[in-house]
Amino acid sequence: MAMASSDADHGAFMERFELLPPESQQPQQLPLHGLTFAIKDIFDISGRVTGFGNPDWARTHAPAAATSPVVLATLAAGAISVGKTVMDEMAYSINGENAHYGTPINPCAPDRVPGGSSSGSAVAVAAKLVDFALGTDTGGSVRVPAAYCGIFGLRPSHGVVSEENVIPMSQMFDTIGWFARDLSTLCRVSNVLLPQPADDTMKQLTGFTIPIDCFQILGSMNDQTYQILNASVAKKFGSHAVDNRNLGEFISNNVPTVRKFITDFSESEGPSVPALSVISYVMRCLQRSEFKANHAEWVNTVKPNLGPGIRERVHEAIASQDGPMEDFLALRSEFKSALADLVKDDGILAIPTVPGSPPKLRMEASALENFRTRAFSLLSIAGLSGFCQLSIPLGVREGIPVSVSLIARHGADRFLLNVAHELYETLKEETEKAWGSPASSL
C-alpha cells in the first residue's frame, strides 16, 4: 500500500490511479460524463488491496476479488476515478486524523481537523481535486467531514445503496454516502446511485421541524443557523410550516423505552438533551457490538498498531459486554416509528450537523470527548432511525465553516434533495442578511 500523498494534494490520497468508464458509443450522453471522483479506502477495487486506514490491515489482506457495485455504477455512468483516499483507521473516528498516513489538510480551515472517517474524500472535493467523492457513514463519517470542510454530504437512507464489497464497520448503521461542492453535482451522482423511484410524483412539503433545543443546547447559537433556518423556511414555505418544538421532549413522550435509561443521562455535567443522549448511547452500544463481531478476531490475532484515540476505542469495543440488547432494539424500533410520525411522508427535520466549530488539530482529549458526546447526540438521530440526512454548507464565517442538516424519512432521499434545491438560494440570502456580508465559500 502506498504511503499517503503529498501536500500538493492536501494529503487526501492514499494512492493515485485512473479507473476509466467502460467503452461507450456516446460517452457524452452518460449522466456523469466529464466528472472525476475519489474513492474512500474502504471500497473494494478488483486486484487492489483495500487498506481500511491501517497498514497492518493492508499487510494481512489479499487484493479484492471484485469491485464495489457503487464504484462500478459510478464508472458506468461516465465518471473517471483518480484514486483512493485516506480514512480514519477501521472507520472508528469522526476526527480525520490518521497516525500512519498523515491527516488530510482541511482546505476550509487548515488548523482544524478535516473530520472523519471519510476525511480524504471530503478534502479531495473541498480542495477541488475531484468533482465528487465516495465515502461511508456509520456514526457520522460523511456528514461530519462535509460540515468541517464546507461542502455538501449525503447520508442516504440506510440500506438503499449497496454495501457489497465495502468493509463493514457496523451493518445496522453502515451507509454509502457522497460529497460534492455544489448541489447540482450531488444530485447528478444521487440520480445514478439512489434506487429509481416507483413513482415520479414529488410530494409537496407540509411541515418543517426546527427544534430549538438542538440548536440552543447542542449547536452554537453564535452562528445564527437557527434564525437563518427559521427565516428561510418561513419565506419559502410559509411560517405555518415551521415547528420549533423541543426534540428531546418529543422523544421522551413518544419513545417509551427511553425512560429505562434517562435517569443515567439527566445529571450529565456538560450541556445535553437527555433523551438524545440515550439515543446516542443505544446507537453506540449496538455499533460496538457489531464492530466486535466483525473485527475482534482480526484485532486479537494480528494485534495491529493503531493510532491514539482509535486504539482505545477499538480495544474498548472488543472488551465490551453487549448490555440489554432487547431494550436497545426495542428503543431503536420505537424511535424509528416516533420520528416517522414527526416528519411524516412530506416533512423535514432540520438540525445542526455538528455542535459548532471543527476541533483544532491535536486537541486535548477531554475537550474533544465533550465535543464528540454532543456531536453524537445530533448524528445518532439519522443513525438510529435509518433516515436520510443532507449536510448543507452555509459558508465560512470568521475562518469557521458553518453548515446545517436536513433529515427526511427512510426512503425519501429524492424528496430531501428536492426540498434542499428549493430552499438553498433562500438559505444563502438569509445567511448573508444574518451575517451582514456575503458568506465566503471555498
Side-chain angles (χ1 to χ4, degrees), residues 2-226:
M3 281 299 284
S5 47
S6 67
D7 281 356
D9 61 15
H10 287 71
F13 285 91
M14 285 293 307
E15 221 182 336
R16 288 278 208 165
F17 52 81
E18 264 200 351
L19 295 177
L20 297 172
E23 289 289 319
S24 161
Q25 293 300 305
Q26 294 175 300
Q28 62 278 12
Q29 290 186 4
L30 294 171
L32 302 182
H33 174 69
L35 297 183
T36 57
F37 73 106
I39 303 166
K40 181 178 182 175
D41 192 23
I42 197 171
F43 290 83
D44 286 347
I45 293 171
S46 179
R48 295 180 179 276
V49 173
T50 310
F52 206 23
N54 178 271
D56 288 325
W57 182 280
R59 179 177 58 76
T60 55
H61 285 79
T67 299
S68 146
V70 170
V71 173
L72 292 175
T74 311
L75 293 167
I80 296 172
S81 167
V82 298
K84 275 198 168 185
T85 53
V86 174
M87 61 175 280
D88 290 42
E89 296 173 75
M90 303 188 81
Y92 219 146
S93 176
I94 55 166
N95 254 18
E97 295 175 295
N98 189 307
H100 310 284
Y101 301 119
T103 298
I105 299 160
N106 184 338
C108 210
D111 61 332
R112 294 174 184 271
V113 297
S117 64
S118 310
S119 54
S121 287
V123 166
V125 170
K128 302 182 180 172
L129 305 173
V130 290
D131 297 305
F132 69 95
L134 300 176
T136 59
D137 187 311
T138 303
S141 293
V142 163
R143 294 163 288 166
V144 172
Y148 289 178
C149 293
I151 56 176
F152 290 89
L154 178 69
R155 174 198 164 95
S157 299
H158 182 257
V160 303
V161 179
S162 172
E163 287 141 52
E164 199 184 326
N165 293 104
V166 178
I167 301 172
M169 200 275 184
S170 166
Q171 293 88 325
M172 208 179 279
F173 309 111
D174 290 346
T175 58
I176 307 305
W178 42 94
F179 303 93
R181 285 184 301 280
D182 59 85
L183 206 41
S184 62
T185 304
L186 191 90
C187 289
R188 280 172 74 182
V189 177
S190 302
N191 280 334
V192 168
L193 296 181
L194 290 173
Q196 289 308 312
D199 133 37
D200 264 352
T201 56
M202 203 39 90
K203 291 182 181 302
Q204 288 304 302
L205 180 110
T206 56
F208 218 109
T209 305
I210 309 171
I212 190 163
D213 55 345
C214 288
F215 288 87
Q216 276 183 334
I217 301 167
L218 297 172
S220 158
M221 292 303 269
N222 300 337
D223 59 28
Q224 294 173 277
T225 48
Y226 180 70

Side-chain angles (χ1 to χ4, degrees), residues 6 28 39 64-65 73 93 115 137 160 176 201 204 211 228 230 243 260 288 295 334 363 399 402 418:
S6 67
Q28 62 278 12
I39 303 166
S93 176
D137 187 311
V160 303
I176 307 305
T201 56
Q204 288 304 302
I228 291 165
N230 276 287
D243 176 355
K260 290 192 175 185
R288 220 169 21 208
H295 302 305
E334 292 165 10
M363 186 187 258
V402 178
N418 204 43

Side-chain angles (χ1 to χ4, degrees), residues 241-263:
V242 179
D243 176 355
N244 292 130
R245 78 177 78 190
N246 279 333
L247 188 60
E249 207 174 289
F250 173 81
I251 293 167
S252 298
N253 293 337
N254 292 278
V255 182
T257 306
V258 160
R259 290 166 212 146
K260 290 192 175 185
F261 300 97
I262 203 142
T263 47

Side-chain angles (χ1 to χ4, degrees), residues 278-297:
V278 174
I279 297 301
S280 169
Y281 167 73
V282 168
M283 177 170 163
R284 286 199 276 177
C285 288
L286 289 168
Q287 180 182 323
R288 220 169 21 208
S289 170
E290 284 197 313
F291 178 86
K292 181 171 60 171
N294 289 326
H295 302 305
E297 187 185 338

